[in-house]
Amino acid sequence: MQVLVSELAQSEMETIVPDRSYPVWSPYNAVDAAEMMLKVLRAAKTQNHTS
């Protein structure tokens, strides 16, 4: 287990470069995602009531 953990830590260190910026996703202004989530929730609610 310890070998796997150290290998994972090593591989993660190779992907992160110091002094570089990385994009971070934020839910703010994610209008399309919110609309899709509402559609799915409404469909699930309708499906639960008809079962």
Side-chain angles (χ1 to χ4, degrees), residues 20-49:
R20 183 171 177 205
S21 63
Y22 294 91
V24 177
W25 182 83
S26 170
Y28 295 107
N29 297 323
V31 177
D32 294 336
E35 287 178 20
M36 179 60 74
M37 189 191 291
L38 279 174
K39 287 179 185 178
V40 170
L41 289 172
R42 286 180 182 143
K45 185 177 180 182
T46 302
Q47 186 177 13
N48 287 339
H49 288 294

